[in-house]
Amino acid sequence: MIAPDKHVSIDASLIGVGAVMLRQLPGPRTLTALWEVCRGLPDIRTFQRFVLALDLLYLLGTVDLESGQIVRLQR
């Protein structure tokens, strides 16, 4: 479920959900503001998938929490 494969499509995988979330994060946002933007997107569907994808993005070093806001890290 984390990565797409023969049985899991990209939009059902957490990597795919994370990619959708990153497009909604052009600048720093609070968790609540990011959820408000993402909650209506068909790929996200539930708060649980939102949090799991956000955790994955943090583990991959793609996002971080600074002063109470989620920021996208540039490499």
Side-chain angles (χ1 to χ4, degrees):
M1 172 142 158
I2 292 174
D5 63 16
K6 169 168 117 169
H7 302 289
V8 177
S9 65
I10 188 75
D11 60 332
S13 69
L14 291 179
I15 292 284
V17 173
V20 169
M21 288 172 59
L22 283 176
R23 285 192 291 261
Q24 306 304 318
L25 196 59
R29 288 188 190 227
T30 63
L31 178 68
T32 305
L34 183 59
W35 171 240
E36 287 300 319
V37 170
C38 292
R39 74 185 308 171
L41 300 175
D43 294 333
I44 306 291
R45 290 184 229 137
T46 65
F47 187 71
Q48 180 181 7
R49 285 175 52 90
F50 171 79
V51 170
L52 287 171
L54 191 58
D55 286 345
L56 180 64
L57 291 174
Y58 177 78
L59 288 172
L60 293 173
T62 309
V63 297
D64 202 2
L65 187 65
E66 295 178 1
S67 302
Q69 295 193 331
I70 301 166
V71 294
R72 187 175 180 174
L73 299 177
Q74 302 296 324
R75 292 189 175 211

